[in-house]
Amino acid sequence: MTTARHRDPAHSDTPPGAPRTLAEELRTRPDDGLAALLHARPDLLTPVPGDLTQLATRAGTRASVVRALERLDRFALQTAEALAVAPDPCSYERLTALMTGDDPGPEAAETARRLPHAVAVLRAQALVWGAEDRLRLVRTARELLSPSPSNPSPTGLGPTVAEATSGMSPGRVQEIIGAAGLPPTHDPVSAVTALAELFGDRTRMAALLDQAPPQSAEVLDRLLWGPPYGSVTAHPAPHLQWLLDRGLLLPAAPGNVVLPREAALHLRGGLAHRAPEPVPPELVPAAEYGARAVDASAAGQAFTALATVEELLKEWETGTGPLVLRAGGLSVRDLKRTAAALDVTEPVAAFWAELAYGAGLLASDGEADERYAPTPAYDDWLALPAEDRWLRLATAWLAGTRTAGLVGTRDAKARTLAALGPDLDRSPAPEVRARVLRLLSEAPEGTAVTPDSLLARLRWERPPRGGPAAPQTPDLRSRLARWTLAEAELLGVTGRGALAAHGRALLGPDPQEAAGLLAPLLPTPLDHVLLQADLTAVAPGPLERPLAAMLDVLADVESKGGATVYRFTPGSVRRALDAGRSAADLQAFLAEHSRTPVPQPLAYLIDDVARRHGRLRVGSASAYLRCDDDALLAEILADRRSANLRLRRLAPTVLAAQTPPDALLEGLRAMGYAPAAESAEGDVVVARADVHRTPARTAPTPVPDGPPVPDETLLGAAVRAIRAGDLAATAERKPAETSVASPPPSNGRLPRTTSAETLATMQAAALTGSAVWIGYVNADGAASQRVIAPVRVEGGFVTAYDHTADEVRTYPLHRITGVAELADDPA
């Protein structure tokens, strides 16, 4: 394991006063510098390191370094990659040469101008340490970024001459330097050094390459920018043999050769990277609209989003919602049905279902026959103003880790991922969504940017692991960004591809401001419709909730859009009568809410259906049919279509059936009659759809992407604790007058003193107000070192100001392993 105590093999050349380890450099940083490190790498805080040596050791662990490298922008990562192939330590001048090359131009000047910032970023995250003339990349980062046959470097460079010739015989090394025109040496080490110096000398190397056959130059060009490995036969061609003889190609494995790093750097003109990218790609405008047009378009889509979510949950609230698959989630068939009901594509239907689920409005009911249904929170959501309902959906989408775009794809085990099912969480989703919206906010108001330029910017800010992703296999962040653009448009965060004003406010400190900006843009619900003579009603806009609810019962929706068209049919009127409404109630309702007179055909339809409604009564015997008009019952018995109902007259006004009541109702309605269900007491049963709700459910918890970012309070407390622990671990201590069996404490070890000595030292420190260093074991058996200033010692306890915790605490004396005076009081 890499530790922060690792030193360069030759510390003798370290300038006096320069830090020799990462821990020593961390001790020179101010508190805000340590806080910045912990903020950038929050994994270092779990748990809080006991001192700066522990912090440095943890900062060099593989998992932590990998996470830190993944969060670098492309130029900072390129700088780290250049340090990985540079000598260790590396001077700033040498690093600049690797990043700018031998022939600086305008692009190289920009690289040199931005290089100090990249180095500062690496230093702030404890990936680079040391003075400007001795920059060191932490060992784990160097191991991760250095080139090897199994782990090619993103620079495309291969091993050094010394690494490539490490297993070569001394005689062969002497043959190579002789062919290269160098004098023989006394040992292989000096021979390898001479060859590396030749490759690094621009003048001598140019003269050597001028002698190369043309085909040799072509081979070097193919290996120049990587990968630097090639294959040769047992009897290479003359142009290959020329390169092998002079060490320009060195053996890497049987049948394989490699271009050494020093030679490649000469051929590249000193560049570690083919194309350094110090400047992030610009966002390219795709179209420009007026800010009001964008806001209006986004508001219209926001209203559509609310209507769609409400329609989806209304479909599933009658107890006949889709079943939950055994493995969890929605079946493909149910997703198709939902998409058809919402008149959208299946991916869009999956997004609306996931959005309602993420907002806590939808869940499984937990019954034996488990189905999806709205939660009680859905009723509370419906009672909110439209802008607040949208805000709840938008904030749930922005913070959620569930990713609807994965629905229909396959996981690592080739299993299809289902909507509302498991395995849809992707931890980077919230960060990517927020970053996409912030990049859109950088464009002028009303300006949409091209998706390709936005994706290029994201890839620069967080380069994909293993280098830029190929177009046919986009990385996860790129896919999340594309889904974010589409979902933001569906949700009304953007309009025509540009970020709306309420979308910008969504990113601010007070998201409620977004609801305030959206409210004036949403259409005002109407309290009226326009009745037509063709048995339709036109709603010229969104309707108030009671009016819309009643029309959903009384009529069927024929078409949607800017205006909703409802059609009245005998079946829809009967549905309203079954719900307990009378013909007079329906006539009065339509007259009250219509801006046009009630058309005569509609009035006749309501009266005709009402006149026939309930004349036939169906009850449960097995089932029976009752009617005061015996001629009507005779007509039904004579109808051939009633044969499958197996009716039999029991009395002039009663028929018995061998079918259940619900089947009898459906059969008679199919014959054109309008029967009504009857209770055991003989009353008409009012048929209302039962509203099904799940038990109280909480919204799904987002899956975090690593440890949470600490706030300022936690950072301040952590820095104080680390400083105090480091003080306890590194402060010079006065030798205690102890017996041979109790040696004085040393750095990194808990002090050991007898109970009497501990009590006496504590009492003396309390009298003089001085600080002492103690070893302490808590109730869980965890040992720690602390610096305390005793205030009172009595009753077997010491009350002291704890510099580690920055507060006054009380410690049992029997848990203190020992005490030692500090050479210098920390105060």
Side-chain angles (χ1 to χ4, degrees):
M1 177 180 294
T2 301
T3 66
R5 300 177 187 274
H6 169 70
R7 298 182 179 182
D8 189 53
H11 271 299
S12 58
D13 59 346
T14 302
R20 297 172 299 172
T21 64
L22 175 59
E24 289 185 6
E25 180 173 287
L26 292 179
R27 290 190 180 97
T28 66
R29 294 192 183 187
D31 287 352
D32 56 354
L34 291 179
L37 169 61
L38 297 175
H39 184 273
R41 299 175 64 178
D43 57 293
L44 301 180
L45 267 178
T46 309
V48 176
D51 53 40
L52 288 172
T53 300
Q54 290 185 18
L55 175 62
T57 302
R58 193 176 299 171
T61 58
R62 184 180 182 87
S64 182
V65 171
V66 168
R67 179 179 290 274
L69 292 175
E70 289 177 347
R71 292 184 170 272
L72 295 176
D73 62 55
R74 178 157 292 167
F75 187 57
L77 184 58
Q78 286 182 329
T79 303
E81 292 164 353
L83 283 170
V85 297
D88 185 31
C90 175
S91 67
Y92 185 82
E93 289 74 18
R94 174 62 175 155
L95 175 62
T96 303
L98 287 172
M99 296 299 293
T100 59
D102 297 338
D103 188 17
E107 295 181 355
E110 183 64 22
T111 299
R113 189 177 71 84
R114 292 179 178 262
L115 186 58
H117 175 72
V119 173
V121 169
L122 296 175
R123 189 185 294 276
Q125 298 202 28
L127 295 172
V128 167
W129 60 278
E132 291 295 305
D133 59 338
R134 298 182 60 81
L135 294 175
R136 295 180 182 274
L137 193 65
V138 295
R139 181 191 294 179
T140 307
R142 177 174 288 274
E143 292 172 353
L144 290 169
L145 299 177
S146 294
S148 69
S150 60
N151 182 33
S153 170
T155 62
L157 293 170
T160 63
V161 172
E163 293 168 346
T165 58
S166 59
M168 190 176 292
S169 66
R172 177 57 182 157
V173 174
Q174 295 295 333
E175 291 176 2
I176 290 175
I177 66 171
L182 297 174
T185 64
H186 297 68
D187 58 86
V189 175
S190 57
V192 169
T193 302
L195 185 62
E197 291 176 351
L198 168 65
F199 291 164
D201 189 314
R202 298 291 186 260
T203 303
R204 290 191 295 161
M205 185 65 170
L208 177 64
L209 292 174
D210 287 341
Q211 306 171 16
Q215 299 91 336
S216 299
E218 294 176 2
V219 171
L220 295 177
D221 287 341
R222 287 198 296 270
L223 302 178
L224 181 58
W225 295 105
Y229 295 91
S231 58
V232 295
T233 62
H235 302 284
H239 66 280
L240 291 175
Q241 189 64 52
W242 190 92
L243 296 173
L244 291 167
D245 289 343
R246 288 154 182 80
L248 292 170
L249 290 181
L250 294 171
N256 291 329
V257 292
V258 64
L259 176 64
R261 186 182 308 171
E262 293 86 347
L265 285 173
H266 170 81
L267 296 171
R268 293 180 177 193
L271 278 174
H273 292 279
R274 189 170 197 168
E277 298 182 56
V279 181
E282 293 185 358
L283 299 176
V284 179
E288 294 184 5
Y289 309 97
R292 291 186 178 180
V294 169
D295 293 346
S297 175
Q301 188 56 46
F303 183 81
T304 302
L306 295 177
T308 305
V309 171
E310 187 174 344
E311 183 178 0
L312 168 69
L313 296 177
K314 190 181 297 182
E315 286 282 333
W316 293 1
E317 73 174 353
T318 58
T320 58
L323 291 169
V324 180
L325 293 175
R326 181 179 300 176
L330 199 63
S331 68
V332 175
R333 179 181 300 176
D334 285 327
L335 182 60
K336 289 182 178 179
R337 289 174 179 170
T338 302
L342 299 179
D343 194 21
V344 296
T345 62
E346 292 173 31
V348 174
F351 167 69
W352 294 124
E354 284 290 343
L355 182 63
Y357 177 64
L361 309 179
L362 173 68
S364 61
D365 58 12
E367 302 292 338
D369 188 19
E370 194 172 11
R371 296 179 180 271
Y372 287 108
T375 65
Y378 171 58
D379 298 311
D380 300 332
W381 180 76
L382 287 176
L384 296 173
E387 62 272 15
D388 290 333
R389 284 187 282 138
W390 176 86
L391 181 62
R392 179 163 176 179
L393 294 179
T395 52
W397 168 74
L398 194 58
T401 56
R402 292 189 61 83
T403 309
L406 294 170
V407 173
T409 63
R410 295 185 178 274
D411 62 9
K413 297 182 179 179
R415 296 174 300 190
T416 302
L417 299 176
L420 302 178
D423 303 324
L424 289 183
D425 285 289
R426 294 297 181 270
S427 299
E431 180 192 350
V432 173
R433 292 186 188 123
R435 186 56 189 156
V436 167
L437 297 186
R438 292 193 184 280
L439 288 176
L440 292 177
S441 69
E442 293 180 6
E445 293 187 5
T447 300
V449 301
T450 61
D452 289 341
S453 67
L454 188 142
L455 292 177
R457 179 67 167 270
L458 287 175
R459 284 194 291 267
W460 185 90
E461 294 179 347
R462 291 286 180 82
R465 186 179 300 179
Q472 63 271 22
T473 56
D475 60 291
L476 175 61
R477 290 178 62 86
S478 295
R479 289 188 293 159
L480 288 171
R482 289 192 181 276
W483 294 331
T484 296
L485 291 174
E487 292 167 1
E489 194 75 14
L490 285 173
L491 195 52
V493 177
T494 59
R496 304 183 183 182
L499 191 63
H502 52 272
R504 294 176 187 270
L506 196 63
L507 301 172
D510 183 14
Q512 191 62 38
E513 183 182 349
L517 293 174
L518 179 63
L521 303 175
L522 294 175
T524 303
L526 303 177
D527 61 353
H528 64 276
V529 294
L530 304 176
L531 295 177
Q532 309 289 324
D534 60 350
L535 298 180
T536 61
V538 177
L543 299 177
E544 292 181 346
R545 189 167 305 282
L547 174 58
M550 184 59 198
L551 275 179
D552 285 340
V553 177
L554 181 56
D556 299 323
V557 176
E558 189 169 80
S559 66
K560 300 176 183 178
T564 305
V565 178
Y566 295 87
R567 176 164 294 280
F568 299 95
T569 64
S572 67
V573 173
R574 188 187 68 244
R575 188 168 64 231
L577 295 172
D578 286 344
R581 299 281 183 157
S582 65
D585 293 338
L586 299 180
Q587 297 278 12
F589 170 79
L590 293 174
E592 179 184 357
H593 292 94
S594 175
R595 289 291 178 88
T596 58
V598 178
Q600 194 175 51
L602 179 56
Y604 284 169
L605 174 65
I606 293 174
D607 291 340
D608 183 56
V609 174
R611 184 169 48 255
R612 293 184 292 116
H613 183 267
R615 292 180 63 192
L616 297 174
R617 301 291 184 88
V618 174
S620 56
S622 171
Y624 66 84
L625 182 62
R626 183 170 66 85
C627 181
D628 295 335
D629 186 353
D630 56 350
L632 179 57
L633 294 182
E635 177 186 336
I636 294 174
L637 278 175
D639 195 324
R640 293 181 178 180
R641 294 176 295 175
S642 67
N644 62 336
L645 300 178
R646 292 180 291 174
L647 298 173
R648 182 170 59 87
R649 188 187 289 272
L650 298 181
T653 59
V654 179
L655 298 181
Q658 300 300 316
T659 57
D662 54 350
L664 181 56
L665 280 168
E666 293 299 325
L668 292 173
R669 286 170 179 168
M671 295 168 61
Y673 298 98
E678 185 174 82
S679 67
E681 292 76 19
D683 300 323
V684 174
V685 176
V686 176
R688 293 188 180 92
D690 294 329
V691 176
H692 182 53
R693 294 288 183 267
T694 70
R697 294 282 193 267
T698 57
T701 304
V703 177
D705 184 20
V709 177
D711 56 21
E712 293 185 4
T713 303
L714 177 58
L715 286 175
V719 169
R720 289 193 299 271
I722 294 171
R723 289 285 193 200
D726 198 62
L727 174 64
T730 61
E732 295 182 6
R733 305 176 184 95
K734 296 179 180 178
E737 297 179 359
T738 58
S739 62
V740 177
S742 300
S746 61
N747 282 357
R749 296 177 56 190
L750 295 179
R752 295 288 180 179
T753 56
T754 65
S755 300
E757 292 169 341
T758 298
L759 179 59
T761 305
M762 287 292 185
Q763 290 173 337
L767 290 174
T768 60
S770 58
V772 294
W773 178 74
I774 67 170
Y776 182 74
V777 179
N778 64 15
D780 297 327
S784 61
Q785 303 174 7
R786 299 172 182 272
V787 175
I788 65 173
V791 177
R792 183 173 61 254
V793 182
E794 61 182 11
F797 293 87
V798 55
T799 302
Y801 174 77
D802 189 332
H803 289 273
T804 307
D806 196 19
E807 64 181 8
V808 176
R809 290 185 174 180
T810 300
Y811 298 97
L813 283 171
H814 70 276
R815 293 193 178 278
I816 297 177
T817 63
V819 60
E821 297 180 8
L822 297 178
D824 294 308
D825 194 329

